[in-house]
Amino acid sequence: MSDEAARAGGAADEYEIVAGAIFRDGRLLLAQRIRPPELAGMWELPGGKVEAFETPQHALERELAEELGVVVRCGRRIGVDVALGRGRVLRAYRVDILAGEPAALDHAQLAWVDADDLEKFDMVVNDQAWIPDLLTELRRLRLPEPS
Ligand SMILES: Nc1nc2c([nH]c(=O)n2[C@H]2C[C@H](O)[C@@H](COP(=O)(O)OP(=O)(O)OP(=O)(O)O)O2)c(=O)[nH]1
């Protein structure tokens, strides 16, 4: 929030939550949440909250280093903005892994899913808005490269 917004009494709890769509070999990486109890066991794109001093891109690179143990570069947006209420917005970005192999450091487990499997996973409700775009990308990746 800008100083001006703060002075004007803007919502102090406005913040962005960023999540990473990592595609590899025609599959998408999903992560199974361990908390809070109402989300435990459900699948999401890994990520987290953007801190006050960060850009969304930097926040996602930090979160994925912490949660997956990988060095990533944040790319273009994918999917719609999801309004979570109380000024929070959830956004997904494509992410490229620069170094490391993803590990479930802060999740129950990870899964690489293809277009046929994505809808079999119990996704966090907020993330379900992204499924059409994620499927489009997974199907595009499955197509043979033009010769
Ligand atoms: N990371 C992530 N969070 C999501 C997604 N969809 C969704 O509704 N959320 C919600 C769950 C949480 O209320 C919030 C982010 O929580 P988090 O636990 O991942 O974020 P964090 O690491 O910064 O937070 P913390 O546990 O360290 O407090 O956003 C998603 O795809 N990825």
Side-chain angles (χ1 to χ4, degrees):
M1 182 171 47
S2 69
D3 290 344
E4 197 179 333
R7 282 194 298 276
D13 61 350
E14 266 184 29
Y15 63 87
E16 184 174 354
I17 296 162
V18 288
I22 302 174
F23 294 97
R24 186 166 78 188
D25 299 333
R27 293 172 190 263
L28 170 70
L29 185 71
L30 296 184
Q32 189 178 35
R33 288 195 68 100
I34 52 176
R35 65 177 183 279
E38 61 273 21
L39 295 181
M42 300 183 80
W43 295 81
E44 68 173 7
L45 301 184
K49 302 176 189 103
V50 179
E51 303 290 346
F53 55 90
E54 290 179 310
T55 63
Q57 290 80 7
H58 179 249
L60 190 51
E61 290 166 3
R62 173 185 53 74
E63 287 283 353
L64 298 189
E66 292 170 5
E67 294 186 357
L68 304 177
V70 289
V71 179
V72 302
R73 180 175 50 213
C74 185
R76 290 181 292 121
R77 294 281 318 280
I78 185 167
V80 295
D81 288 9
V82 183
L84 301 185
R86 290 185 284 121
R88 296 169 306 152
V89 60
L90 173 66
R91 297 196 175 100
Y93 293 78
R94 291 161 205 265
V95 164
D96 291 319
I97 296 179
L98 301 181
E101 178 61 24
L105 304 180
D106 197 33
H107 287 91
Q109 57 180 326
L110 305 179
W112 290 98
V113 304
D114 65 16
D116 296 330
D117 286 342
L118 181 60
E119 287 172 294
K120 297 176 192 155
F121 281 74
D122 189 15
M123 293 279 283
V124 170
V125 171
N126 295 326
D127 295 25
Q128 292 177 11
W130 296 332
I131 289 176
D133 295 281
L134 296 170
L135 280 175
T136 298
E137 183 63 7
L138 285 168
R139 292 188 179 121
R140 191 184 69 77
L141 292 170
R142 195 155 62 180
L143 294 174
E145 291 288 320
S147 50

